[in-house]
Amino acid sequence: MKISTFFYTLRQGIINVFRNKWFTLASLATISACLFIFGIAYSLLVNFQHMVKTAEEGVSITVFYDEGLPQEEIDLIGAQIEARTEVSKVVFVSADEAWAEFSAELGEAAEGITENPLVNSANHEVYLNDVSAQAHLVKYIEQIEGVRKVNQSEFTANLFTGVNSLVTYVSIGMIAILLSVSVFLISNTVTIGISVRKEEITVMKYIGATDFFVRAPFVFEGMIIGLIGSALPLVLLYYIYEVALKFLAEKFAFLSSLLVTLPVWDVFVVLIPVSLVIGVGIGFFGSFFTVRKHLKV
Amino acid sequence: MAKDTKKKRKGSAEAEGEKYAICLEGVNKAYEDGVPALTDINLKIVPGEFVFIAGETGSGKSTLIKLLLRELKADSGSINVCGYDLMRIKRREVPKFRRNLGVVFQNFRLLKERNVYDNVAFAQRIIQKSERDIRKNVPSILSAVGLAGKYKAKPKQLSGGEQQRVALARALVNKPSILLADEPTGNLDPKNTTDIMHLLEKINQNGTTVVVVTHNREVVNLMQRRVVTLRKGVIVSDEEKGGYIDED
Ligand SMILES: Nc1ncnc2c1ncn2[C@@H]1O[C@H](COP(=O)(O)OP(=O)(O)OP(=O)(O)O)[C@@H](O)[C@H]1O
Ligand SMILES: [Mg+2]
């Protein structure tokens, strides 16, 4: 292919975009809408995951030991647990520390108690990378010699795991539906574009245009629509995201420990390339296969 | 135009075909509904010839042109055009083959939203001529068809005769060795018809093989050229310096 051919067909593609303003606008709007919803779904998803992750990191299980188990053995078991991949952090809490913490909670009621009543409460707080591994880890720790009891918050762990995968599946399903709608619509736009230019295509073929030369403008048209269609919602989302962050920070300051949001660029560093690839990809494949189907010489 | 794209082929029948610009032997074509449109067509046209294809409506003239353009493929027989065996040509070779042909139609088939210059330049862009060549070739062919002053006009601002000249310029700008014209004067008044015919004659004098489909009796009788007459898909006469044969 000559470089001049590339630019000629590209220019024809651009002209096509403007020639059928209404069809272009229709598919532009659809792609934009789809990618806008995709962007919102994605932003919510990653932020939710981030919140869950942060919350998860605060969820721990507590391991208590047999009465009179020597400190060295407790340390050994602690090290053994820490070595596991699903464990992010293990913190030792001595009996005195446990009592100090507890008595602080009791306040006045603890006054006058001089002997530590929690003699056997030396324990390990175990933090996980992934809450879904909790049940399995608990089973493992329970069978270690010297372990008396493992406390866990099963409910919290299950809730996090469940909600997390639900959000993921719903998002994936929604995105898949939207993308196929976009492909369908761009294919429709290109089909209409082809029928509108049937005469021109016929003439081109009589003159001896190669398949590439006939098809390229339509494929470029699809890709241009895809490109613009992905750029528009990105710009819009960027501002909406910033406004939303500000809003949450102002109105829901009391929930700030729970609503740990991601900064704009943490989201957009992924969202921008993914949206562009999806938009241009939809444009390319939508028009490429439509053109192949309708432009048999 | 000299042919430099001729294919070297072995078989003697095919070698025979290469002496001719157009060579059809025992060609049959029926449409999907099974009604034969052309039956046992034998037609040989040498380079530089001027040939009329005459016949009443539905006799198969346009079908013949479509076979020559490889828009349709014959059911049987052999067709050789410009050295290309159209029964065996590969799909991707068709564009290259068509660059040897120029074609005009009764309804001109100009692109409405482009001006005269761009309609003609369009043909050059398709065969990937450089803009420099295009700026040289388009004005030259436009003045050859007598439209030097109308570059910027849109097709609907032109008369039928002028539109057909633009179509001719577009067909000729790529310097084809054969010009096919399907009823080129069908939409024109007698004055414009004569003008276009003289233009076709001039093109032919410059060495282009010209095949003109028409059922205009006056045109055929005036020009005194070879006339091939079709009736119900069969060649019923083929005469040098012939006249229009009336139906009885
Ligand atoms: N696409 C098609 N499908 C089926 N039959 C067709 C098709 N095109 C033409 N025919 C039939 O084939 C026969 C020849 O048609 P053709 O168009 O070649 O005639 P023609 O000589 O060009 O007529 P006209 O002078 O009216 O243009 C006619 O009987 C016509 O009805
Ligand atoms: Mg016809």
Side-chain angles (χ1 to χ4, degrees):
Chain A
M1 179 187 43
K2 283 190 190 173
I3 198 84
S4 62
T5 306
F6 173 83
F7 284 112
Y8 179 77
T9 50
L10 176 63
R11 221 184 70 213
Q12 293 309 306
I14 295 170
I15 292 171
N16 283 357
V17 168
F18 290 103
R19 208 176 276 163
N20 291 292
K21 287 182 199 69
W22 293 112
F23 296 119
T24 300
L25 277 177
S27 41
L28 203 65
T30 335
I31 288 205
S32 288
C34 288
L35 285 172
F36 182 71
I37 294 171
F38 167 76
I40 287 182
Y42 177 79
S43 306
L44 287 177
L45 180 68
V46 287
N47 271 292
F48 184 76
Q49 281 182 332
H50 181 66
M51 287 173 200
V52 168
K53 191 95 215 148
T54 315
E56 262 179 16
E57 279 160 10
V59 174
S60 64
I61 56 181
T62 319
V63 184
F64 296 98
Y65 298 97
D66 287 345
E67 238 169 279
L69 195 70
Q71 185 62 40
E72 305 82 71
E73 290 206 23
I74 293 177
D75 290 346
L76 268 174
I77 295 172
Q80 186 186 345
I81 295 169
E82 191 156 25
R84 291 182 63 87
T85 51
E86 68 266 40
V87 174
S88 75
K89 196 170 67 165
V90 173
V91 178
F92 179 72
V93 183
S94 69
D96 291 344
E97 284 166 340
W99 172 237
E101 205 174 289
F102 189 51
S103 60
E105 269 177 43
L106 291 176
E108 281 180 18
E111 268 169 45
I113 303 173
T114 47
E115 191 92 335
N116 182 355
L118 302 175
V119 191
N120 287 315
S121 63
N123 63 67
H124 274 114
E125 278 171 9
V126 180
Y127 296 87
L128 285 94
N129 292 318
D130 177 6
V131 171
S132 65
Q134 180 174 302
H136 185 73
L137 180 70
V138 166
K139 222 171 253 160
Y140 168 79
I141 296 173
E142 274 173 342
Q143 52 84 41
I144 296 174
E145 194 74 29
V147 171
R148 174 163 50 95
K149 194 171 79 156
V150 180
N151 276 356
Q152 62 167 324
S153 166
E154 220 168 322
F155 174 74
T156 325
N158 289 347
L159 181 73
F160 275 142
T161 314
V163 173
N164 206 349
S165 52
L166 180 72
V167 170
T168 310
Y169 289 135
V170 168
S171 306
I172 290 173
M174 212 166 73
I175 289 162
I177 292 169
L178 287 172
L179 291 188
S180 32
V181 170
S182 305
V183 169
F184 172 76
L185 278 156
I186 202 138
S187 155
N188 245 16
T189 307
V190 170
T191 307
I192 290 160
I194 289 172
S195 68
V196 166
R197 292 192 281 282
K198 198 105 232 163
E199 180 71 0
E200 180 178 337
I201 291 165
T202 313
V203 171
M204 286 171 88
K205 286 180 183 169
Y206 280 136
I207 295 169
T210 56
D211 286 359
F212 173 85
F213 202 91
V214 176
R215 289 169 176 172
F218 293 101
V219 177
F220 279 130
E221 178 185 4
M223 288 170 74
I224 291 165
I225 293 175
L227 185 71
I228 302 172
S230 52
L232 286 178
L234 280 174
V235 172
L236 200 60
L237 275 170
Y238 185 89
Y239 289 105
I240 290 178
Y241 194 97
E242 286 206 315
V243 168
L245 284 196
K246 214 176 272 168
F247 179 78
L248 283 179
E250 280 169 16
K251 305 279 172 184
F252 293 92
F254 59 95
L255 282 176
S256 63
S257 66
L258 209 61
L259 294 174
V260 263
T261 50
L262 288 165
V264 172
W265 281 107
D266 279 24
V267 177
F268 275 69
V269 83
V270 177
L271 194 57
I272 289 174
V274 169
S275 292
L276 288 177
V277 166
I278 292 175
V280 176
I282 290 173
F284 177 80
F285 287 108
S287 54
F288 184 79
F289 289 108
T290 312
V291 160
R292 270 183 78 99
K293 198 172 117 201
H294 291 283
L295 289 187
K296 295 248 164 70
V297 180
Chain B
M1 192 184 76
K3 276 279 41 63
D4 42 22
T5 49
K6 269 199 182 131
K7 300 264 153 126
K8 292 280 163 279
R9 292 238 163 77
K10 283 161 227 143
S12 63
E14 282 154 355
E16 169 92 342
E18 297 204 1
K19 285 197 307 209
Y20 299 101
I22 294 169
C23 178
L24 287 82
E25 286 175 308
V27 170
N28 295 293
K29 176 69 193 175
Y31 285 99
E32 280 85 42
D33 51 20
V35 182
L38 290 172
T39 310
D40 192 27
I41 299 295
N42 293 286
L43 178 63
K44 294 181 168 70
I45 298 173
V46 296
E49 242 186 307
F50 190 117
V51 183
F52 282 116
I53 310 288
E56 66 181 301
T57 181
S59 58
K61 307 181 296 294
S62 296
T63 305
L64 179 61
I65 295 290
K66 285 176 182 157
L67 288 178
L68 297 178
L69 281 164
R70 191 51 174 76
E71 192 181 337
L72 294 175
K73 192 180 176 187
D75 300 331
S76 60
S78 78
I79 305 185
N80 197 300
V81 179
C82 290
Y84 284 84
D85 179 349
L86 296 194
M87 298 305 281
R88 292 206 202 132
I89 190 168
K90 290 195 187 72
R91 216 182 78 93
R92 65 182 157 75
E93 289 178 332
V94 170
K96 206 173 132 216
F97 156 68
R98 286 194 184 144
R99 292 176 189 191
N100 296 288
L101 310 178
V103 57
V104 292
F105 300 94
Q106 177 170 358
N107 54 358
F108 321 131
R109 296 198 140 167
L110 299 175
L111 304 178
K112 290 179 201 67
E113 73 284 357
R114 299 188 198 204
N115 65 25
V116 168
Y117 180 92
D118 283 331
N119 261 286
V120 179
F122 179 65
Q124 291 249 286
R125 296 202 172 101
I126 284 170
I127 64 165
Q128 306 182 23
K129 284 278 181 199
S130 73
E131 282 301 315
R132 220 181 76 215
D133 288 344
I134 295 174
R135 275 194 295 272
K136 195 177 72 177
N137 295 339
V138 175
S140 130
I141 197 77
L142 281 175
S143 54
V145 299
L147 278 176
K150 302 249 178 187
Y151 291 1
K152 292 208 172 119
K154 292 278 172 72
K156 67 166 181 284
Q157 299 168 308
L158 300 175
S159 74
E162 287 169 329
Q163 289 189 49
Q164 193 60 291
R165 286 162 193 271
V166 179
L168 267 172
R170 183 178 68 189
L172 294 170
V173 70
N174 293 344
K175 303 196 175 6
S177 56
I178 302 176
L179 178 70
L180 304 174
D182 193 350
E183 309 256 12
T185 59
N187 284 359
L188 304 181
D189 59 23
K191 165 78 170 69
N192 273 309
T193 298
T194 321
D195 287 353
I196 291 290
M197 279 302 153
H198 285 315
L199 199 50
L200 290 175
E201 213 161 29
K202 200 176 95 188
I203 291 157
N204 178 242
Q205 276 158 15
N206 290 333
T208 310
T209 311
V210 176
V211 178
V212 183
V213 165
T214 185
H215 50 216
N216 185 319
R217 167 207 316 269
E218 286 71 32
V219 163
V220 173
N221 291 340
L222 171 86
M223 302 280 287
Q224 290 297 300
R225 297 292 194 141
R226 180 177 169 191
V227 182
V228 175
T229 307
L230 283 169
R231 187 179 299 159
K232 296 194 171 100
V234 180
I235 294 180
V236 291
S237 96
D238 183 350
E239 288 177 53
E240 294 299 325
K241 296 186 190 294
Y244 196 87
I245 296 176
D246 286 302
E247 296 298 320
D248 38 18

